[in-house]
Amino acid sequence: MDLLNSHLLSLILLTPVAGALVLLLIPRDQVGALRWTAFIASLVPLALSVVLWLNFQPDIAGYQFREDFLWFPLVGSDYRLGVDGVSLPMVLLTALLAPLGVLFSFGVQDKVKAYMILFLLLETGSFGVFMALDLLLFFLFYEIGLIPMYFLINIWGSANKQYASFKFMLYTMAGSLGLLLATQVIGLTLGSFSIENAVTAWPAWSGTIAGLSATTVRAIAFWAFVIAFAIKVPIWPFHTWLPDAHTEAPTAGSMMLAGVLLKLGAYGFLRLVLPLYPVEAAAGAPVLATLATIAIVAAAFASFGQSDFKRLVAYSSVNHMGFVALGVAVAAWTAQHGGAQEGILALNGAVLQMFNHGLSAAGMFLLVGVIYDRTHTRNLDDFGGLMPLMPVYGGLLLFTSMASLGLPGLNGFVSEFMVVRGAFPVFSVLTAISMIGLLMTGAYILYGIYKTIYGPLNTKWVGHTSDISAREVIAWAPLGILMLVLGLAPNWMVSVINAAVARLF
Amino acid sequence: MSPELVSLTWLIPVPPLVSFFLIILLTNRSKALSHTIAIASIATSFVLSWIVAFAAFGTPHFGAEDAIGALSVPWFDVGSGAFMMGVLVDPLTAIMLFFASTAMLAIFVYSVGYGNYGKKLDPHDKPGWPAHNGVDPLYSRFFAYLSLFAFGMLVLILADNLLLMFMGWEVMGLCSYLLIGFWYARKYDDPNKITPRQAGVKAFMTTRVADVIMLLGIVYLYFATGTLSFREIMFAQEGEMLRHLASTPSIVAGLSQASLVGILVLIGTIGKSAQFPLHTWLPDAMEGPTPVSAMIHAAAMVSAGVYSVIRMYPVLAADGLVAHAAEAAGHAAEAAAHHGPVITTPMGVLAFIGAFTALFAATIAVAQNDVKKVLAYSTISQLGFMLAALGIGGYVAAAFHLMTHAFFKALLFLGSGSIIHGMEHGAHHAHDHASDPQDMRYMGGLRHKMPITFVTFFIGGMALAGLPIVTAGFWSKDEILLDAWLHAPAVFYTLALAALLTAFYTTRQLWMVFFGAPRSPSAEHAHESHWTMTAPLVVLSVFAVGAGWLNIPADFPLFGQLVASLGLEPGWLHHFLGGTLVEHPETPAFTLVPLITSLVVALGGITLGWWVYRNAWKTSSDVDPVERTIGGVIYGLLKNKYWVDELYDVLFVKPAFWLGRVFFTGIDKGVIDGFLHGVAWVSVGVGNVFRDYFDKPVVNGASDGSGVAVKWAGRELRPIQTGRVQQYLIMVMAAAFVIGFFMWAAR
Amino acid sequence: MSIPLSWYLALSAALFSIGVFGVLSRRNAVGVLMGVELMLNAVNINLVAFWHYGAFGPSTGLAFALIVIAIAAAEAAVGLALIISVYRRRKTVVVDDVNLMKF
């Protein structure tokens, strides 16, 4: 029990790796054993995360469940983990989505062993980013998540997988180069890679490097950080890797990609960019807000113009993350220019939107995966009036679509309302323009439903498609329940987030 | 209000929500169980609503600080505080609960008969298509959606803050989408005819345009006041916050914060209550089953739109408070004398749009042949009346007309459903597939075939036309005209003309449907509907007649004293509803001109309609007398709704699709990915250049070259090895000589 | 009158040069050996001259010269033996013809 209390985060972090190692030992033809072992290995972090949530005390400032071990004393980097009100929901989200992804992946037939191992490694990478309190550790886990995702897309993806996986990997890595360099600068000038230390010491640092003043160095490092995270979030116009990667990835891969990996970028903004570069971030906030608004509008239109269902959902991810980016921009601006209430609301909304989008995007990708497994096509024009053939699926699709659309009563509305409330007084014109995006969100969601389950029955599917299976419903159910609960009574999560966010203002 | 009653209040929306989940998750297969659960749930809400409403009616000075019901809980934390959500029962809520729950219960019961419950499932009927003569295949789902709709409406009515109201509003938007598109698989041979699923999308998207703008208004109000609670903003401290809103300039030049919020919120109503220019969804919403039309267009959704502006009226009128105060400060003598409500900017916009739409829609209704479309346009027109009334400061008049309209419009829609059912049965019996059961040109003489429907529909129609004294519509419309006459003559004339047209087209409709001889075999063989359909009609007609008597003004000739002598309070509604506002609105003094006008337009319109149509429509292919009078071109303009839909298609719908393609194919794939591919191509090119021009020649070349050089050197030095001793000796000599020289030089 | 040292050195140099010339340019191997003998003898003259004209011990130069003579004799014997061995094999005593060790 003491092990549990003092090393809870490490346990959550390393259980999937341990599971992967166990999987190595299982022969590759024992598919059932592989699947269930992987499932259990991903359930353990979920149980532990729930324990983490219940024992977390929002009223205490700072990070909790800290762990601190020597790692690279020579450069000042330690194995330091901790969670606060912003990272805790992300940990919970990752812990929730991974077992659901594994459960859905029971339908994968070939190279199951490799698949499950890669999936578990992906989970660890994601956990690490959210828990790390050390810049080098952060970067390590940030990059670690890329490799399994690359292989998941490259081997188990659909038609255009080579292009998509390559683009995803190269693009993200290219962005991370600047991040690495800037991280090194911070670590070496401050003598330590600790994030908590950097937050107080870095903005105040006033030395020179190679003849460049501290302000210049900070500005360059700021842009390096921003580029890296902007690619990941993704912020328009750095988003084009996303439609390809999401579309070609296997369903569970898309769930994790949309549900978790995108949040790494947004989390990087919150955890690193805003605290380390308050002045530069405030100066860049209008630009970020503009790009976020363009993302909201352009992605909504692009989604509307799709004929591939999965790509439609992929663009909806860009659209929703645009709200996160808008909230971050507002927070950055108000931290320096006043308007704390707007900043708090916007940031609360942004973090909640990260969690909510994780749920609804994962749900949508899961449902698209269901229909793809049945019909082997994602082309919206091929479907038509499937509701009588798949009534349960139709109901679940309607529900999840409404959450994605931001229907009040479901989770998406709460976070979008909070972001809009925070953004409107600060960036009024941009928020008004983003309403066009919100309008088109309704359009593309309805379009997806229109083509898939409504309309005259397309007789070619009669007798060739079955309704959603129990396993798939069970994989969806936690998402659906949380969507409803968070829509009706969001405060169990918002209070935790708010307690951490309010301290920043 | 007693705390127990208040805690009962939040229970009111719960049964329909429970019903929705139960039907969806559990009882979907059993039709009987589903409708029983649904009707039981709405009945429970109905009973609770009436209990709360009548408790409110009986409370003196209901609406003052201590005499309302309120309960709220924190919904999400913000900084050190929290955003609160809860229920509020004030006079306006009580009135809404009273009529909305009644209408919704009637609609639920009606739906049992409408869905052909009791008949067997016809094997030719497919899910997603309307049933021909069997029970509807998706019967249970209908009740589930209807329950969710009721939930949304009740949440909206009981909300104590603008956000919760908006949430109920949006839930109803979803339900309207689901219910209008209920027959989702239906398609028509005529490609220009809108299908139900398209109509559902149209409704959702048109109202969403308004909703996103309204959201900005809500957000801005939250920002300006730090709260969205109705009482806090509009009532607390004698409306202090309203004055603050009215005197603070907003981010839009020239508008105070109150005006900006008012305009943004009323845009939401323009969408939800189908006013021009966002009216186009409502007529097409007729594609949904008729109980849905009744629900959406009478009891719930469009009422929600009007309710929201009524609720927000103090904010819309807030500028007037500041104007009055300025007046009072400057001219103390006149301060006491109010010259009627100040028409602020948002109110002016509302009045204009309301009045315009009232007339606009009435002109279109004259030229419609589908029985439901006439009612649709009349709904748009009547909503225009209500909004115009509110815009000129007729707070009670607007609410009054909202209530009476809910009753008689629900009655009319349900009646039309009964008519259509009768026609369909007739078509089935007579094997008539040529006549459209909804087209009035094929009806006629139905008063003999469907007497109950006839009487109730007649009552509803007369209420709509405003038949004096005996119908509720008269009293509410009269009050609106009175307010208009006193405060805004332009609105008065517009509304009077619209009222005339209303009476005219209603009489036209009554004549074409019920009088004359049947014009098709379907009409010949039509028969009366099931009791589950006719009983609600009867109940509603009672209200359509009686609801007007709630607000007979005390100074009305003859009837004012009649009501008082019966022990009832004349103008009760005015007095009761006034408690919602900080300052009771003044009762407009009785004036003869508006009354005469009401009588003239109502009776005149009815008479004109009878006179024009009494010899018209002998066969289904006749030309309408109006068309003959005003000419085919103008008639065509009216019949085609002024081509507004087509205009929107060109202006908005097609560009949206085009933009969708542009953003994906053009920008993302073309520009951005093109850029990235270009970067990739350049990188590969640079790599190739490095390989071909540096790596291969220089680096490889260097390492290859060193080998070659060594080989060359060896080959060149080889000839020294001649094998001849004397040669070697010469070389020795030479070397010794050189060394000796250097040794000599270095000494 | 005494003979200056330089005359002896000149003589020795001349002999040495003739010997070098002989070594380097004679075709016949025996001739080369003769040249080598000349060089050795020149060295001897040099040694003895320096011994006589310098302040050295009674037998320093003599010893050195005797050693040189002995070595010269040995070397001539070995050299002639080699030439004979080469002649028996290759039927020639021309130095230039014995060039098997070329590239």
Side-chain angles (χ1 to χ4, degrees):
Chain A
M1 268 302 110
D2 193 53
L3 179 75
L4 206 62
N5 285 336
S6 56
H7 298 286
L8 193 54
L9 290 182
S10 288
L11 279 175
I12 296 178
L13 178 65
L14 296 171
T15 313
V17 176
L21 289 172
V22 169
L23 281 177
L24 270 178
L25 303 172
I26 302 177
R28 71 171 69 102
D29 50 355
Q30 298 281 340
V31 169
L34 286 167
R35 288 177 178 152
W36 285 102
T37 312
F39 185 58
I40 295 182
S42 61
L43 271 184
V44 172
L46 177 59
L48 292 175
S49 301
V50 173
V51 171
L52 185 67
W53 183 274
L54 293 172
N55 287 322
F56 182 81
Q57 288 158 309
D59 303 317
I60 303 179
Y63 297 96
Q64 296 174 34
F65 294 95
R66 304 180 65 119
E67 294 177 38
D68 214 336
F69 295 105
L70 278 182
W71 193 35
F72 276 145
L74 221 54
V75 293
S77 173
D78 293 320
Y79 176 83
R80 213 185 297 255
L81 303 179
V83 283
D84 74 344
V86 170
S87 47
L88 184 59
M90 297 298 111
V91 170
L92 189 64
L93 180 67
T94 313
L96 178 65
L97 287 181
L100 299 181
V102 171
L103 187 58
F104 189 86
S105 302
F106 278 26
V108 170
Q109 297 297 338
D110 55 64
K111 306 199 199 57
V112 177
K113 180 167 173 173
Y115 185 98
M116 292 299 173
I117 290 176
L118 287 169
F119 204 85
L120 290 173
L121 290 176
L122 182 62
E123 190 184 354
T124 296
S126 310
F127 276 133
V129 172
F130 294 127
M131 293 177 188
L133 290 183
D134 180 285
L135 279 172
L136 215 50
L137 202 63
F138 179 93
F139 186 80
L140 173 77
F141 282 111
Y142 192 82
E143 295 294 299
I144 275 185
L146 284 184
I147 314 288
M149 200 71 235
Y150 168 79
F151 282 113
L152 282 173
I153 302 177
N154 202 4
I155 302 177
W156 290 274
S158 22
N160 208 14
K161 58 192 178 185
Q162 308 287 354
Y163 173 76
S165 55
F166 219 65
K167 194 173 180 181
F168 160 71
M169 174 94 150
L170 281 184
Y171 209 157
T172 313
M173 245 182 202
S176 309
L177 292 177
L179 177 64
L180 178 61
L181 189 61
T183 306
Q184 297 307 312
V185 167
I186 294 178
L188 294 174
T189 53
L190 297 182
S192 150
F193 282 94
S194 157
I195 292 180
E196 291 163 288
N197 179 49
V199 167
T200 42
W202 179 244
W205 172 71
S206 59
T208 57
I209 293 182
L212 299 167
S213 72
T215 325
T216 319
V217 170
R218 259 200 291 276
I220 297 175
F222 168 72
W223 284 110
F225 268 67
V226 165
I227 300 272
F229 295 130
I231 293 177
K232 198 79 169 175
V233 170
I235 294 180
W236 198 93
F238 301 110
H239 66 288
T240 48
W241 61 269
L242 190 147
D244 292 308
H246 276 88
T247 313
E248 305 301 330
T251 304
S254 294
M255 284 168 72
M256 285 300 277
L257 189 52
V260 180
L261 289 190
L262 300 187
K263 315 303 177 286
L264 301 183
Y267 180 76
F269 266 107
L270 290 177
R271 180 62 79 217
L272 298 179
V273 174
L274 289 191
L276 290 176
Y277 308 96
V279 175
E280 292 86 358
V287 174
L288 180 60
T290 311
L291 291 178
T293 307
I294 298 178
I296 295 173
V297 177
F301 273 107
S303 186
F304 183 57
Q306 287 307 314
S307 56
D308 180 326
F309 201 4
K310 210 162 173 184
R311 190 164 285 134
L312 188 149
V313 181
Y315 269 107
S316 84
S317 283
V318 180
N319 175 297
H320 288 122
M321 291 307 282
F323 278 100
V324 176
L326 188 61
V328 169
V330 172
W333 179 266
T334 55
Q336 297 287 307
H337 293 108
Q341 190 79 338
E342 278 67 51
I344 294 177
L345 273 162
L347 206 51
N348 279 353
V351 178
L352 187 64
Q353 175 82 337
M354 283 159 72
F355 190 86
N356 286 339
H357 173 255
L359 296 177
S360 61
M364 285 298 283
F365 277 115
L366 191 150
L367 292 172
V368 171
V370 167
I371 208 168
Y372 181 71
D373 284 345
R374 307 276 182 292
T375 60
H376 300 291
T377 173
R378 294 190 306 257
N379 194 330
L380 288 168
D381 297 320
D382 288 343
F383 299 136
L386 291 177
M387 189 67 129
L389 297 177
M390 309 173 72
V392 178
Y393 174 79
L396 297 185
L397 184 65
L398 266 172
F399 186 86
T400 316
S401 300
M402 289 303 127
S404 186
L405 184 152
L407 186 79
L410 296 176
N411 59 355
F413 176 70
V414 186
S415 47
E416 280 173 5
F417 175 74
M418 288 161 78
V419 170
V420 172
R421 158 69 184 91
F424 192 51
V426 178
F427 295 116
S428 307
V429 175
L430 289 174
T431 313
I433 295 175
S434 71
M435 290 295 114
I436 301 177
L438 208 54
L439 174 71
M440 293 311 291
T441 302
Y444 69 69
I445 292 279
L446 290 185
Y447 183 68
I449 301 175
Y450 181 94
K451 286 287 208 178
T452 323
I453 54 174
Y454 284 154
L457 181 57
N458 189 342
T459 44
K460 91 169 174 197
W461 301 117
V462 176
H464 290 100
T465 175
S466 53
D467 204 352
I468 192 170
S469 70
R471 171 177 63 85
E472 287 156 340
V473 174
I474 294 176
W476 177 89
L479 301 172
I481 295 172
L482 274 174
M483 284 187 235
L484 186 63
V485 167
L486 274 175
L488 294 177
N491 213 22
W492 62 274
M493 177 153 289
V494 178
S495 57
V496 171
I497 300 172
N498 181 57
V501 164
R503 280 188 210 106
L504 297 173
F505 288 86
Chain B
M1 244 186 159
S2 67
E4 298 85 15
L5 205 54
V6 177
S7 49
L8 211 57
T9 308
W10 73 260
L11 269 180
I12 293 179
V14 172
L17 183 66
V18 170
S19 154
F20 169 72
F21 279 115
L22 278 180
I23 298 179
I24 290 284
L25 294 173
L26 294 178
T27 70
N28 206 355
R29 291 196 204 278
S30 160
K31 298 187 180 4
L33 204 50
S34 299
H35 79 215
T36 312
I37 292 178
I39 293 182
S41 71
I42 192 70
T44 315
S45 297
F46 167 76
V47 166
L48 287 174
S49 301
W50 273 45
I51 291 176
V52 170
F54 277 91
F57 295 158
T59 312
H61 302 295
F62 192 68
E65 280 302 327
D66 53 346
I68 52 160
L71 180 69
S72 63
V73 295
W75 199 52
F76 61 76
D77 285 349
V78 180
S80 48
F83 182 85
M84 309 290 283
M85 297 262 251
V87 296
L88 168 72
V89 182
D90 71 359
L92 184 59
T93 317
I95 295 292
M96 294 289 295
L97 278 177
F98 169 68
F99 76 76
S101 60
T102 315
M104 290 199 283
L105 177 61
I107 294 169
F108 270 64
V109 172
Y110 180 91
S111 302
V112 171
Y114 187 82
N116 287 333
Y117 178 70
K119 302 223 175 99
K120 291 220 210 331
L121 187 62
D122 187 331
H124 294 296
D125 283 337
K126 293 179 290 233
W129 287 84
H132 288 113
N133 265 296
V135 70
D136 195 303
L138 295 174
Y139 186 82
S140 310
R141 190 178 301 183
F142 190 74
F143 280 96
Y145 290 160
L146 225 56
S147 301
L148 190 64
F149 207 139
F151 167 73
M153 184 63 182
L154 291 168
V155 164
L156 177 128
I157 293 174
L158 286 168
D160 77 341
N161 64 73
L162 200 48
L163 185 64
L164 188 57
M165 192 190 92
F166 185 73
M167 287 171 71
W169 176 285
E170 289 278 315
V171 169
M172 287 202 288
L174 168 71
C175 291
S176 74
Y177 161 73
L178 292 172
L179 284 168
I180 293 172
F182 187 70
W183 292 317
Y184 53 78
R186 186 176 206 179
K187 67 176 178 209
Y188 299 109
D189 296 322
D190 178 7
N192 288 329
K193 193 155 159 35
I194 195 169
T195 64
R197 71 174 172 146
Q198 287 170 330
V201 171
K202 186 171 180 177
F204 193 92
M205 290 305 294
T206 314
T207 53
R208 194 171 174 91
V209 170
D211 290 347
V212 295
I213 298 175
M214 184 174 176
L215 183 65
L216 287 180
I218 295 175
V219 158
Y220 192 70
L221 183 61
Y222 186 7
F223 161 70
T225 60
T227 176
L228 284 171
S229 156
F230 293 132
R231 291 300 280 195
E232 275 181 52
I233 296 174
M234 296 183 260
F235 209 92
Q237 296 150 2
E238 309 292 319
E240 180 55 42
M241 208 172 270
L242 289 173
R243 270 185 278 277
H244 173 78
L245 283 174
S247 36
T248 317
S250 72
I251 49 181
V252 174
L255 289 176
S256 70
Q257 284 183 337
S259 286
L260 181 62
V261 170
I263 289 181
L264 292 174
V265 168
L266 74 86
I267 291 179
T269 299
I270 291 177
K272 210 64 150 187
S273 294
Q275 298 297 290
F276 183 86
L278 292 173
H279 64 283
T280 50
W281 65 270
L282 198 148
D284 289 323
M286 298 298 118
E287 290 300 318
T290 310
V292 171
S293 307
M295 191 80 161
I296 295 179
H297 304 133
M301 206 157 101
V302 298
S303 301
V306 179
Y307 167 76
S308 81
V309 271
I310 295 181
R311 182 56 90 189
M312 293 297 289
Y313 176 77
V315 174
L316 270 75
D319 279 355
L321 290 174
V322 170
H324 273 159
E327 266 180 41
H331 311 275
E334 295 172 56
H338 282 233
H339 299 289
V342 173
I343 297 186
T344 62
T345 316
M347 285 165 73
V349 171
L350 195 58
F352 175 74
I353 292 184
F356 176 78
T357 310
L359 188 56
F360 173 78
T363 57
I364 299 180
V366 168
Q368 296 303 309
N369 288 324
D370 183 311
V371 60
K372 282 170 74 171
K373 288 269 189 337
V374 177
L375 294 175
Y377 284 103
S378 99
T379 306
I380 298 176
S381 179
Q382 294 301 304
L383 292 168
F385 269 84
M386 293 174 225
L387 294 176
L390 197 66
I392 55 173
Y395 182 80
V396 175
F400 188 25
H401 198 58
L402 179 65
M403 180 175 77
T404 59
H405 175 264
F407 286 125
F408 62 69
K409 198 41 76 61
L411 170 59
L412 284 170
F413 269 113
L414 295 184
S416 74
S418 176
I419 294 169
I420 295 171
H421 248 47
M423 288 287 286
E424 281 176 346
H425 293 155
H428 184 78
H429 282 300
H431 300 287
D432 176 4
H433 298 288
S435 37
D436 180 358
Q438 294 191 244
D439 195 326
M440 296 193 296
R441 294 175 291 190
Y442 296 107
M443 299 180 188
L446 288 181
R447 74 181 188 285
H448 303 296
K449 309 281 191 290
M450 311 177 69
I452 307 179
T453 306
F454 166 61
V455 171
T456 51
F457 197 93
F458 188 82
I459 293 175
M462 287 299 114
L464 176 58
L467 189 69
I469 311 298
V470 290
T471 59
F474 166 75
W475 294 105
S476 53
K477 209 174 286 192
D478 181 56
E479 174 128 7
I480 294 179
L481 287 174
L482 177 61
D483 266 307
W485 173 253
L486 290 175
H487 303 137
V491 172
F492 173 77
Y493 290 117
T494 317
L495 291 182
L497 185 56
L500 179 71
L501 286 173
T502 308
F504 178 73
Y505 64 66
T506 308
T507 313
R508 167 182 183 259
Q509 181 172 40
L510 285 169
W511 191 269
M512 281 177 82
V513 174
F514 293 110
F515 291 87
R519 291 186 285 278
S520 71
S522 310
E524 286 266 350
H525 292 92
H527 64 78
E528 187 58 271
S529 305
H530 194 251
W531 69 264
T532 48
M533 289 169 76
T534 51
L537 293 177
V538 172
V539 169
L540 285 173
S541 54
V542 171
F543 283 99
V545 169
W549 298 334
L550 289 174
N551 202 31
I552 300 175
D555 51 3
F556 198 84
L558 198 66
F559 288 92
Q561 290 126 353
L562 185 63
V563 167
S565 68
L566 286 173
L568 302 163
E569 189 189 334
W572 170 84
L573 187 70
H574 198 102
H575 177 77
F576 179 71
L577 257 185
T580 317
L581 302 175
V582 177
E583 286 174 27
H584 275 234
E586 54 173 83
T587 316
F590 173 76
T591 320
L592 204 53
V593 173
L595 175 61
I596 303 288
T597 315
S598 295
L599 291 172
V600 165
V601 296
L603 293 171
I606 295 170
T607 314
L608 187 65
W610 170 79
W611 186 74
V612 168
Y613 282 95
R614 69 186 194 288
N615 287 321
W617 288 108
K618 300 274 195 273
T619 70
S620 56
S621 42
D622 273 1
V623 173
D624 194 287
V626 173
E627 185 175 356
R628 255 185 275 127
T629 318
I630 60 176
V633 173
I634 303 182
Y635 193 76
L637 193 65
L638 298 181
K639 190 156 180 224
N640 287 299
K641 320 160 251 150
Y642 297 96
W643 304 102
V644 174
D645 281 290
E646 288 73 10
L647 182 68
Y648 286 171
D649 191 49
V650 165
L651 277 182
F652 300 115
V653 176
K654 296 243 178 335
F657 278 102
W658 176 80
L659 269 175
R661 280 193 300 279
V662 157
F663 272 108
F664 176 59
T665 321
I667 297 185
D668 271 15
K669 283 241 156 305
V671 175
I672 301 179
D673 267 357
F675 174 74
L676 287 179
H677 292 161
V679 168
W681 180 82
V682 166
S683 310
V684 171
V686 167
N688 281 341
V689 161
F690 270 118
R691 187 167 53 101
D692 293 335
Y693 294 99
F694 183 72
D695 218 41
K696 270 197 188 150
V698 176
V699 177
N700 272 10
S703 58
D704 286 349
S706 56
V708 165
V710 168
K711 253 169 126 177
W712 173 84
R715 215 184 347 263
E716 293 305 306
L717 284 174
R718 224 169 156 211
I720 295 179
Q721 305 289 329
T722 54
R724 291 159 60 193
V725 176
Q726 282 167 328
Q727 196 127 333
Y728 295 159
L729 286 171
I730 293 176
M731 288 197 286
V732 169
M733 290 293 316
F737 201 72
V738 169
I739 290 172
F741 174 76
F742 277 113
M743 285 176 70
W744 173 82
R747 71 162 156 75
Chain C
M1 78 185 140
S2 54
I3 301 175
L5 175 61
S6 52
W7 286 29
Y8 285 106
L9 294 181
L11 174 65
S12 147
L15 271 178
F16 189 83
S17 309
I18 293 168
V20 168
F21 178 73
V23 165
L24 293 178
S25 67
R26 295 219 45 134
R27 286 192 64 210
N28 198 316
V30 179
V32 170
L33 274 173
M34 284 159 63
V36 172
E37 284 299 308
L38 267 176
M39 281 160 64
L40 287 167
N41 283 315
V43 164
N44 261 344
I45 294 173
N46 212 351
L47 281 170
V48 170
F50 272 117
W51 171 67
H52 187 266
Y53 281 86
F56 297 106
S59 50
T60 316
L62 279 177
F64 217 150
L66 273 170
I67 291 171
V68 173
I69 289 170
I71 288 176
E75 171 259 322
V78 171
L80 280 170
L82 277 173
I83 290 172
I84 291 170
S85 178
V86 166
Y87 177 75
R88 282 186 182 154
R89 191 86 170 91
R90 306 292 308 289
K91 299 285 183 266
T92 174
V93 285
V94 175
V95 174
D96 279 340
D97 290 344
V98 185
N99 64 354
L100 272 177
M101 294 283 276
K102 74 170 183 194
F103 60 86

